[in-house]
Amino acid sequence: MQYHNVSEALSALQAIEAKRSALSHAMAIIYFDSATVAPKNTTEGRAHTLGILSGYMYELVANPENTSLLSYLKEHEAELSLEEKRRSELFRKECEQLSRIPQAEFTEFQILLSKAGDVWEKAKIENDFPAFAPYLEKIVDFNRKFAAYYNPDIPAYDALLNEFEEGITMETLDVFFDKLRSAIVPLLAKIQTAKPIDDSFLSKSYPIETQRKYSEYLMEVLQIDRGYCGIAETEHPFTENFNNKDVRITTHYYENDIASSMFSVIHEGGHAIYELGCKDDYNHTMLAGGVSMGIHESQSRFFENLIGRSKAFIEYIYPTLRNFFPEQLDGVTADDFYRAVNKSTPSLIRTEADELTYCLHIMVRYELEKRLIGGTLTVAELPAEWNRLYKEYLGVDVPNDTMGCLQDTHWSGGSFGYFPSYALGSAYGAQMLHAMKNDLGNIEEKIASGDFSEIKAWLGERIHQHACLYAPGELLEKTCGKFDAQYYIDYLTDKFTKLYSL
Ligand code: ZN
């Protein structure tokens, strides 16, 4: 195809982006339906539809004709705006990567994933790792193959990490995690000898119907417009974004754990705030949505921990929380509640982990992924190795695979290289908080009065609105300087030293 001018080429790009966005939307809805309300025996038809839709996606993105369009745009790069240049760059990357994956393999992988999700769910309920193992083996093999297609010149796991966080390598992460571990482990050891925090009231009976109403209240506090953001219930909470006017979050209610859903809603709410804050003009283009998993987690964990688990926030919401649950919280003060939701104890489940030990859970997964993809660990060896690392890093004994290597949904969803984003996001968030305090002054006061407008505006202006316009490292640097784990270490040390009077 010949292009006569830049605007013609840009129209062609826009037409492809619009179709790509529509196909993603359809596939995401099908996925969301399967995770929320679809009856359990409906996998087969869904796999069939997803196979066909992902085939269309492949044909659209890996279309050889895209090459002439992208070459034309490259030649006329000087005439493109910052946005137009980034759109073509992002599309080029996607085309090149996908074109290297043979279509049959791509479709086969999508079909495998749609089945693996159900198998994993059942295996988790029944503590049956051997049932899931053959699927996981295939998923690992696919990931290794795809990594070589993405970039054959770097180690496979680095290529996968790059899919979630542009520019991140094992070399950077090894240093980051070592630094973090050498700060967290001694802090945790001191906490073990300090006076324990009583959190027994968190596991009283909190009726789920009331918890649902409490979630609505939390969404209101976070000023998330429910006209654009739904809440559903799933085994494992997540956020799905279709565009900046339609975001869905999910949560999981446990009758005997008020903190679980509360912090899931705030966490997923943070993801939703990011998506809802992306610029309207970027919808249905390559620039739509959050830029990386690390930046996404920086937003969710910002709201979950830096705000949600702060003393100021708990003091603000506590009177309302007590109105919802007067009997359960009888005699419990806001300070008791603050201390309870920040209690640090080495545990088994990542999603229920406290703020301090959370990254140790990530380090276990990072270590295992690195070795599975690197070929030095087999799927059959995974459960035993998981248990060994939990003992080594967290000092806990894993009683079964349900509470061990079957607990997370990521691997069954085909994602390897995702987990480190959680730890990176936590560290990015602490660095952003530092910069925000420099700009806005005493933000605790604002939080304590329930006024999140300046905080949200600060994040909106610096992070959210840009969506995918800047690469994650560039965005962070523009917002608060070069990535430095020290901000996170300082934040954790300060918070937990005060909390436990160490
Ligand atoms: Zn998240």
Side-chain angles (χ1 to χ4, degrees):
M1 168 104 192
Q2 289 295 315
Y3 299 95
H4 302 97
N5 53 52
V6 168
S7 78
E8 201 180 274
L10 285 171
S11 303
L13 175 63
Q14 196 182 9
I16 298 169
E17 287 174 304
K19 281 187 199 163
R20 175 186 168 279
S21 154
L23 282 171
S24 299
H25 188 176
M27 288 193 280
I29 293 263
I30 292 169
Y31 170 72
F32 190 78
D33 170 82
S34 78
T36 52
V37 295
K40 65 177 170 20
N41 297 330
T42 56
T43 315
E44 226 171 292
R46 199 158 46 242
H48 174 81
T49 302
L50 283 173
I52 288 178
L53 289 179
S54 61
Y56 282 143
M57 182 66 108
Y58 183 89
E59 283 164 23
L60 180 75
V61 176
N63 183 350
E65 281 180 25
N66 292 338
T67 314
S68 57
L69 170 63
L70 288 165
S71 317
Y72 184 88
L73 289 168
K74 184 84 191 159
E75 279 161 33
H76 296 79
E77 208 175 60
E79 295 163 58
L80 302 180
S81 68
L82 180 67
E83 279 89 353
E84 291 159 352
K85 207 171 133 188
R86 177 79 171 158
R87 276 165 57 202
S88 19
E89 274 167 12
L90 288 172
F91 187 55
R92 178 193 316 283
K93 190 180 164 213
E94 194 170 296
C95 289
E96 285 177 355
Q97 286 192 346
L98 201 57
S99 311
R100 293 187 199 124
I101 302 174
Q103 182 165 11
E105 271 180 43
F106 179 78
T107 309
E108 200 189 324
F109 185 55
Q110 297 304 321
I111 293 171
L112 170 69
L113 292 186
S114 64
K115 289 181 186 155
D118 290 353
V119 174
W120 163 76
E121 215 171 306
K122 194 161 173 272
K124 184 180 169 179
I125 292 167
E126 294 169 1
N127 185 32
D128 187 4
F129 182 77
F132 178 55
Y135 289 84
L136 187 58
E137 266 163 23
K138 283 185 195 155
I139 290 171
V140 169
D141 285 346
F142 268 112
N143 267 282
R144 292 168 71 178
K145 269 194 276 182
F146 290 170
Y149 293 136
Y150 296 154
N151 189 343
D153 303 325
I154 58 174
Y157 191 52
D158 274 351
L160 297 175
L161 286 169
N162 254 271
E163 290 301 291
F164 299 101
E165 201 65 9
E166 215 175 317
I168 281 292
T169 61
M170 287 185 272
E171 209 185 331
T172 312
L173 285 175
D174 285 344
V175 174
F176 169 55
F177 284 134
D178 275 352
K179 199 173 170 184
L180 212 52
R181 198 164 36 180
S182 57
I184 294 174
V185 171
L187 195 55
L188 198 56
K190 275 199 226 166
I191 289 173
Q192 311 283 46
T193 62
K195 188 171 174 270
I197 289 174
D198 175 22
D199 66 345
S200 55
F201 53 85
L202 295 178
S203 51
K204 283 186 177 172
S205 168
Y206 292 85
I208 286 174
E209 207 35 62
T210 319
Q211 287 198 50
R212 288 195 182 105
K213 288 181 192 137
Y214 177 49
S215 296
E216 295 297 335
Y217 164 70
L218 290 171
M219 295 292 271
E220 218 175 275
V221 170
L222 297 172
Q223 294 160 3
I224 298 173
D225 187 338
R226 297 281 276 111
Y228 299 114
C229 182
I231 307 183
E233 290 170 37
T234 51
E235 175 63 29
H236 189 99
F238 67 94
T239 299
E240 187 70 67
N241 58 298
F242 303 128
N243 54 66
N244 82 338
K245 297 279 186 285
D246 187 355
V247 181
R248 316 291 173 88
I249 69 166
T250 75
T251 187
H252 190 120
Y253 296 106
Y254 296 93
E255 195 186 326
N256 295 104
D257 186 352
I258 180 65
S260 176
S261 173
M262 170 178 170
F263 288 100
S264 289
V265 167
I266 303 175
H267 177 99
E268 303 307 333
H271 283 303
I273 289 168
Y274 184 11
E275 289 296 335
L276 295 166
C278 292
K279 218 176 246 179
D280 289 347
D281 295 352
Y282 296 169
N283 272 332
H284 318 305
T285 77
M286 294 303 294
L287 301 180
V291 67
S292 73
M293 292 305 159
I295 299 290
H296 239 300
E297 284 303 318
S298 78
Q299 298 310 291
S300 55
R301 304 185 74 73
F302 191 95
F303 282 95
E304 179 193 350
N305 292 325
L306 305 181
I307 291 186
R309 284 192 167 85
S310 71
K311 207 165 177 170
F313 184 80
I314 300 295
E315 273 165 9
Y316 174 68
I317 59 153
Y318 196 68
T320 310
L321 175 58
R322 264 192 71 157
N323 285 341
F324 276 112
F325 304 103
E327 281 163 35
Q328 293 86 339
L329 297 172
D330 187 32
V332 176
T333 65
D335 192 55
D336 295 337
F337 196 84
Y338 163 72
R339 293 168 59 78
V341 297
N342 281 293
K343 181 179 180 169
S344 181
T345 323
S347 63
L348 292 164
I349 309 293
R350 175 186 63 86
T351 53
E352 309 286 324
D354 60 81
E355 194 179 0
L356 184 64
T357 56
Y358 189 85
C359 285
L360 297 173
H361 291 258
I362 299 303
M363 288 176 211
V364 170
R365 288 152 179 79
Y366 169 66
E367 207 55 49
L368 295 170
E369 286 195 339
K370 210 163 76 166
R371 289 162 56 192
L372 277 171
I373 300 296
T376 58
L377 179 72
T378 65
V379 165
E381 293 163 341
L382 179 69
E385 204 43 22
W386 176 287
N387 300 352
R388 192 186 69 77
L389 284 173
Y390 259 79
K391 186 77 186 170
E392 189 186 324
Y393 289 8
L394 287 125
V396 293
D397 293 302
V398 180
N400 54 53
D401 295 333
T402 298
M403 299 176 87
C405 65
L406 283 173
Q407 66 180 267
D408 297 307
T409 175
H410 304 60
W411 292 339
S412 70
S415 300
F416 275 79
Y418 184 128
F419 284 116
S421 319
Y422 292 113
L424 283 169
S426 301
Y428 292 166
Q431 190 165 344
M432 287 170 193
L433 180 70
H434 183 86
M436 185 188 278
K437 282 181 173 171
N438 282 343
D439 290 347
L440 301 181
N442 190 345
I443 67 160
E444 283 83 5
E445 245 169 49
K446 300 179 208 305
I447 298 172
S449 68
D451 178 11
F452 298 94
S453 53
E454 277 181 75
I455 293 168
K456 283 182 75 177
W458 191 95
L459 291 169
E461 194 187 311
R462 285 167 181 75
I463 313 277
H464 305 164
Q465 64 155 331
H466 300 301
C468 292
L469 184 59
Y470 303 110
E474 196 185 351
L475 181 67
L476 189 76
E477 211 167 326
K478 273 178 181 296
T479 308
C480 48
K482 231 177 165 44
F483 174 53
D484 183 352
Q486 196 57 45
Y487 293 102
Y488 185 42
I489 292 173
D490 290 347
Y491 159 80
L492 288 173
T493 309
D494 180 58
K495 177 169 180 176
F496 286 89
T497 302
K498 283 183 186 146
L499 185 72
Y500 280 94
S501 317
L502 299 175

